[in-house]
Amino acid sequence: MKLVSMKLFNFRQFWGEVEINLAGQPGRSVTVIHGNNGAGKTTLLNAFTWVLYGQHTGAFASPEQHINKRAIAQTASGKRVDCWVEVVFEHNSNRYRARRSCYIEKSHSGELPIEQGGELALQINGKLVQPPEVPEDKVGQVLPESLHRYFFFDGERIDRIVKSENKSEISKAIRTLLSVEVLDRAINHLKEAYRSLNKELAELGDPETKRLVKEKEDLIEEKAQLEAGREEIASELEAFEEQKQKVTAQLRDLDKVGQIQERRDDLKRQEEEIQAQLDRSEDKLRRTISARGYMVFLTDAIAQFRNLADELRQRGELPAGIKQQFVEDLLEDGACICGTQLEQGTKARKQVESWLDRSGIQQVEEAVIQMGGEVNSIERQIPEFWAEVEQEQASIENLRRHLSTLENQLDDIREQLKGSEDVNVSGLEKRLEEIEDRIIDLHREDENVARDIEECEGEIGDLNKQIKDLKAKSKQQALIQRQMKATDDAIDRLTQVRSRVDSKFRVVLEQKVREIFRQVSFKTQVPKLTENYELVLVENLTDGESIAAPSTGENQILSLSFIGSIIERVRYWSKKHSLIGLDSSSFPIVMDSPFGTLDENYRRQIAKLIPMLADQLVVLATKTQWRGEVETEMEPYIDKEYVLVFNSAKPDCEPEAIVLNGETYPLVRQSPNEFEWTEVVEVERR
Amino acid sequence: MASDYNDIEEPITTAPPEVEKIIREVIRVEKENLHSDRPRVKADILQIIKDAVK
């Protein structure tokens, strides 16, 4: 599409008829239209979109009102006020004249009636497009309506086209521009046609053919269901993978807190263990004291016992020396061991009898011996008892110290954990494990379904063969079968082309967007065209790619890089691939308020690039937007230049002017009457 | 690089004449209707097949 000229009649700010011719020569294809805010720049952008598509851009206020107010005011009541916009453009050596018009019948009450009309009239090479042909269809074939927003746009809002909420629109636009949309539609429609032919064949065929065709249809349906199931599995898998990433990230974030908590739990366990040991030691000490503690109080009693025993020894009463029984035996025998007779009343017998008294001490002696042994044992046990008590006390002391250290450490941890929530790391880990198990299950399930699909395909193939093998009973059957075979072949070939387009065009377009984006942006982020043809900015991190959250400026650059790349690539492909490529190989860009809010460097880079990429460029700019760097970069490409002169009815209006090529042109001037309107003045270029 | 693209349309250009005719006609119809979604496209395509294979 190459824009040639635009005419406006009573359209919004433009009173009467004005004409703008647009630059379009190779190398000098830029038209600049200068105007203050409110002078009609956005109106001119909308004049294009209204004529061609009946659409308005977002910034266009009161879109239901097109007719110039001065024209309405100066028309007598009951008379008709017309308004129209006409755009002339060329496409594939044909000249198109598109005019959209509307009107009102001015009422006597002074109330503004609703506008009538609004239809598009289109002439191609001077011939009016008439029913059953539809003018909108003809314009759509030149530049599809779904794509127009990428070529007629408001620079301040250009960032919106790549925002995530619009990703399906841009995906569709890319698919259309890369011919993927045409191929997909062709494949789907051919598949539908194939089914229709199959049905016709079933209706015509013999019972056996009918049975096989029915069986095949059932299998095709089963396969479609299995494929749908697989898609569900894929989306479930995607959701689980996403959850897995989230939980992993959460775990990573919580790892530090988790480690501290683990340490806390360990210390608590130690504390409980030490406390139990301490309880055991104290109990043992208590039991030792209660069982053997009395011993230490026996020292005096032992000394007393020893004195008594010593005294008995000193008196010679101990040891007893002779046993009582022995003395009694001597007396009974009446003879001493020395042979002396022990007759009654003899001195010898009396002496022996005196030993009877002395021998009575024997029991005392036995008691002393037994007691002496016990006393010795007690004396031996006393130091052992003390040693045991001391050892236990030392152990208790040690355990208490340990316990106190643990309590201090736990206090420190409590302080560290203050403010952080109690993290259920193990819960999260369990969840992660569950997710991973589910992912494995889903992969397994997917493999099973894929196998089922493969089996289905095998059976369908067999049936196809059987159906083919059946001798066609009529010429009609044979013909339908040939038609089906040709359709199947066409589907197969188009699918191959689709796959080639997908693998080559997408990659090359992505490279081009990246190349342009890199020339302009200083950031490390790079544009990426996903498999679903969505345009995103990604940054390369050590653990893979991550989708970046771009600023408005970055989105503006991304959008402009995308538009520039699309124009450049589609131009190339359309020439190279005349069959599948779009009919349009050249695209204009009409840009209101160029470069939005970009800073100087970005403005310069974009201003340098766009005229080289676009086949034709119309820039609508204020004095500020057309400053230094933009003017410098675009100047060599400018062929046409206009100023929108606003006639202000404000009594104290401050006139404003712009100097272009050494000449001063008014931007705002005092209106000679009570009306406000805009005139278009062409700048003389030397 | 440019030579890599030369074979993109090869599955179409090497098709038997009636298949190539179907593909070319179907693409033409789809291009014409790209901006809209008319139900008659399906009927047109069936007709293209029937016209190509007689």
Side-chain angles (χ1 to χ4, degrees), chain A residues 236-237 239-245 247-248 251 424-445:
Chain A
E236 213 178 319
L237 260 173
F240 273 113
E241 289 288 359
E242 205 173 298
Q243 276 186 37
K244 183 182 160 183
Q245 277 181 9
V247 175
T248 311
L251 272 171
N424 185 0
V425 174
S426 66
L428 278 175
E429 275 165 356
K430 199 169 164 228
R431 175 81 189 121
L432 185 60
E433 207 176 306
E434 282 167 7
I435 291 171
E436 281 170 347
D437 286 349
R438 189 72 190 117
I439 288 173
I440 292 169
D441 286 349
L442 283 168
H443 277 301
R444 207 168 292 140
E445 224 175 290

Side-chain angles (χ1 to χ4, degrees), chain A residues 212-224 456:
Chain A
L212 290 175
V213 168
K214 170 81 176 67
E215 211 173 303
K216 188 178 149 189
E217 273 175 2
D218 291 348
L219 276 170
I220 288 173
E221 196 170 319
E222 189 186 332
K223 190 184 150 200
C456 258

